[in-house]
């Protein structure tokens, strides 16, 4: 039996992309694995441990903006977090064979003797900061074992990054989607229905999307689903924009089915789970060039385009939205896209691959 503890900065109930992913890993019945969660906030329950983490609060508070200054002090802050949560952290070290990090800076929370897995949910060397020369320096230091010497394996969710990882024990498994819940619906006649799903913060580009709708008389209905630090900008919105938050998955899935396209101009993204949800629902997707080449397969199938994540880029992409959704609005085409996503990214397939690859990486330690 291999005991694994997943380490997340926020509570599993936070319901962001990382939390949803770890929830799938945690609930999956993987033969030969016993699973625990260590979270930086939230309540403790069976098999889920919580600590009072100063670093978690800082990371959550600065979510969506470059927070490299805070991360520079990660060794000091997380050493203090270890001290004030010493009993819980030591217990996790004692019971775990594998410690899986969704924020790779939590490496400093533990004494290294266990099998520690970095993941691309956090910042790998190639995207450690927003500055290329700093990323190159970090990569060089990792390669020469000047920092992060005790990382035993790396889990990538974007396979094309494998050449950029200066470590040997690497496995690649993408994020997934609940394809049985996110299913296509018949397009209804009328004005195009555009959807945004995600946290309301600058890195996601929601402020730019709303500015386009406020400053231009668009013949498009926009639904915004999410919450965050920019909720105040939704207080004065046009009549063709509505906002929903804290809704159950069943209602979210229905909103996807009744929409024509997803707008997701995020510039700070490791993967983009909402893109999979939209594609599984048969929607046309407009997303930022920063996500290229993650979804090139959908682009080739006519269901996705990459744009400049600027107000001008968003406005330009929306001008001919009626033409773009003619093809993706055909139900048989929606079904083809859904079937492709189900085959490639359904959680039941993806999580099984994850545990197989993780077991092999642990075997090769």
């Amino acid at each position: 039996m291999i005991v694994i503890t997943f380490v997340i900065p926020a509570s599993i109930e936070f319901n962001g992309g990382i939390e949803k992913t770890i929830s799938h890993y945690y609930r999956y019945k993987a033969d030969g694995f016993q699973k625990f969660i260590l979270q930086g906030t939230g309540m403790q329950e069976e098999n889920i441990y919580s600590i009072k983490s100063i670093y978690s609060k800082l990371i959550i508070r600065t979510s969506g903006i470059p927070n490299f200054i805070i991360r520079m002090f990660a060794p000091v802050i997380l050493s203090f977090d270890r001290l004030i949560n010493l009993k819980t952290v030591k217990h996790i070290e004692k019971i775990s064979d594998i410690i899986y990090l969704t924020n790779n800076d939590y490496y400093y929370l533990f004494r290294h003797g266990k099998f520690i897995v970095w993941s691309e949910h956090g910042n790998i060397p190639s995207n450690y900061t927003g500055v290329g020369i700093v990323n190159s320096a970090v990569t060089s230091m990792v390669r020469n074992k000047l920092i992060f010497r005790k990382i035993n394996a790396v889990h990538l969710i974007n396979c094309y990054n494998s050449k950029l990882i200066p470590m040997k024990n690497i496995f690649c498994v993408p994020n997934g989607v609940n394809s049985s819940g996110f299913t296509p619906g018949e397009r209804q006649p009328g004005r195009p229905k555009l959807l945004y799903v995600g946290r309301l913060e600058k890195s996601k580009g929601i402020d730019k999307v709303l500015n386009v709708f406020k400053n231009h008389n668009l013949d498009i209905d926009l639904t915004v689903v999410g919450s965050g630090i920019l909720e105040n900008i939704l207080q004065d919105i046009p009549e063709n924009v509505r906002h929903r938050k804290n809704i159950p998955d069943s209602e979210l899935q229905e909103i996807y089915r009744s929409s024509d396209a997803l707008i997701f101009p995020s510039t700070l993204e490791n993967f983009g789970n909402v893109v999979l949800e939209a594609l599984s629902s048969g929607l046309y997707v407009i997303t930022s060039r920063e996500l290229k080449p993650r979804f090139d397969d959908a682009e080739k199938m006519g269901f996705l385009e990459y744009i400049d994540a600027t107000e001008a880029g968003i406005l330009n992409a929306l001008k001919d939205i009626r033409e773009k959704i003619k093809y993706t609005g055909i139900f048989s085409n929606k079904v083809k896209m859904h079937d492709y996503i189900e085959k490639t990214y359904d959680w039941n397939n993806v999580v099984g691959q994850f545990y197989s690859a993780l077991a092999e990486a642990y075997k090769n330690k």
Side-chain angles (χ1 to χ4, degrees):
M1 182 67 66
I2 300 173
V3 180
I4 180 172
T5 297
F6 297 100
V7 182
I8 58 176
S11 166
I12 195 69
E13 297 177 351
F14 186 71
N15 211 30
I18 289 176
E19 292 77 29
K20 287 182 179 179
T21 298
I22 297 305
S23 180
H24 281 285
Y25 291 166
Y26 179 67
R27 295 198 309 264
Y28 185 82
K29 294 182 180 179
D31 292 339
F33 281 90
Q34 183 179 4
K35 293 157 285 182
F36 296 92
I37 291 174
L38 178 67
Q39 55 189 20
T41 63
M43 301 296 291
Q44 189 157 306
E45 54 187 276
E46 185 179 5
N47 293 342
I48 299 179
Y49 296 85
S50 295
I51 58 175
K52 296 178 180 179
S53 172
I54 296 171
Y55 194 71
S56 287
K57 291 180 179 179
L58 291 172
I59 288 295
I60 293 170
R61 189 172 299 171
T62 58
S63 174
I65 61 176
N67 49 22
F68 182 56
I69 299 300
I70 293 173
R71 290 171 46 229
M72 283 178 61
F73 293 95
V76 175
I77 302 172
L78 284 163
S79 293
F80 184 72
D81 278 350
R82 177 184 174 86
L83 184 62
I84 62 178
N85 299 280
L86 190 58
K87 182 178 179 181
T88 301
V89 175
K90 278 192 170 182
H91 178 68
I92 292 297
E93 290 172 335
K94 181 179 179 180
I95 65 173
S96 303
D97 298 307
I98 299 175
I99 296 176
Y100 179 97
L101 307 178
T102 61
N103 182 307
N104 296 328
D105 291 333
Y106 282 78
Y107 168 88
Y108 298 109
L109 184 65
F110 302 98
R111 294 295 176 261
H112 308 124
K114 299 295 182 177
F115 190 84
I116 296 181
V117 179
W118 255 18
S119 74
E120 203 178 358
H121 303 296
N123 297 85
I124 59 174
S126 61
N127 69 351
Y128 205 73
T129 73
V131 182
I133 191 170
V134 177
N135 294 343
S136 297
V138 172
T139 301
S140 178
M141 286 189 286
V142 172
R143 181 180 293 112
N144 291 287
K145 299 188 181 300
L146 298 176
I147 56 175
F148 302 121
R149 295 188 298 273
K150 300 297 183 178
I151 299 299
N152 302 101
V154 180
H155 168 211
L156 294 179
I157 54 179
N158 298 293
C159 296
Y160 58 84
N161 278 329
S162 60
K163 296 178 181 178
L164 303 177
I165 300 296
M167 302 168 185
K168 294 181 180 180
N169 201 355
I170 301 170
F171 62 98
C172 178
V173 180
N175 284 353
V177 65
N178 175 15
S179 63
S180 63
F182 294 95
T183 56
E186 293 276 8
R187 186 184 188 280
Q188 300 301 315
R191 298 206 304 183
K193 293 180 173 61
L194 185 66
L195 176 63
Y196 169 90
V197 179
R199 294 194 303 276
L200 305 182
E201 55 189 39
K202 282 187 175 294
S203 71
K204 302 293 185 180
I206 182 58
D207 55 327
K208 298 169 185 173
V209 174
L210 289 174
N211 283 341
V212 169
F213 273 80
K214 290 177 180 179
N215 297 328
H216 301 273
N217 185 22
L218 299 179
D219 189 28
I220 301 171
D221 290 325
L222 171 66
T223 298
V224 176
V225 179
S227 60
I229 59 176
L230 294 184
E231 283 186 46
N232 61 309
I233 66 176
L234 286 155
Q235 293 176 355
D236 181 24
I237 53 178
E239 292 183 356
N240 58 337
V241 179
R242 67 168 184 156
H243 175 219
R244 305 297 307 278
K245 68 174 185 176
N246 301 326
I247 60 175
D249 281 350
S250 58
E251 185 175 349
L252 176 61
Q253 291 161 4
E254 186 55 41
I255 291 175
Y256 271 108
R257 274 190 289 274
S258 63
S259 300
D260 296 308
L262 176 81
I263 181 77
F264 189 62
S266 177
T267 57
L268 193 63
E269 204 72 33
N270 285 339
F271 191 78
N273 290 9
V274 296
V275 174
L276 290 184
E277 293 172 356
L279 293 173
S280 185
S281 303
L283 272 62
Y284 185 82
V285 174
I286 301 169
T287 191
S288 65
R289 297 192 193 282
E290 280 78 2
L291 269 70
K292 191 175 180 60
R294 292 168 180 80
F295 303 107
D296 284 7
D297 47 358
E299 182 187 33
K300 293 174 183 176
M301 296 172 72
F303 268 78
L304 181 142
E305 67 173 305
Y306 300 107
I307 66 168
D308 292 330
T310 62
E311 290 182 28
I314 293 168
L315 177 61
N316 186 59
L318 295 179
K319 283 181 177 178
D320 57 348
I321 188 68
R322 290 180 182 273
E323 288 299 315
K324 292 172 180 174
I325 63 175
K326 280 184 178 179
Y327 175 78
T328 58
I330 298 172
F331 188 70
S332 59
N333 293 336
K334 287 175 175 280
V335 171
K336 288 179 183 178
M337 173 52 69
H338 173 268
D339 290 348
Y340 172 77
I341 294 297
E342 179 181 31
K343 179 181 178 181
T344 311
Y345 294 105
D346 185 80
W347 274 123
N348 288 326
N349 299 327
V350 168
V351 181
Q353 294 171 26
F354 168 79
Y355 278 106
S356 295
L358 180 62
E360 185 65 24
Y362 183 66
K363 177 183 175 182
N364 293 333
K365 63 181 178 177

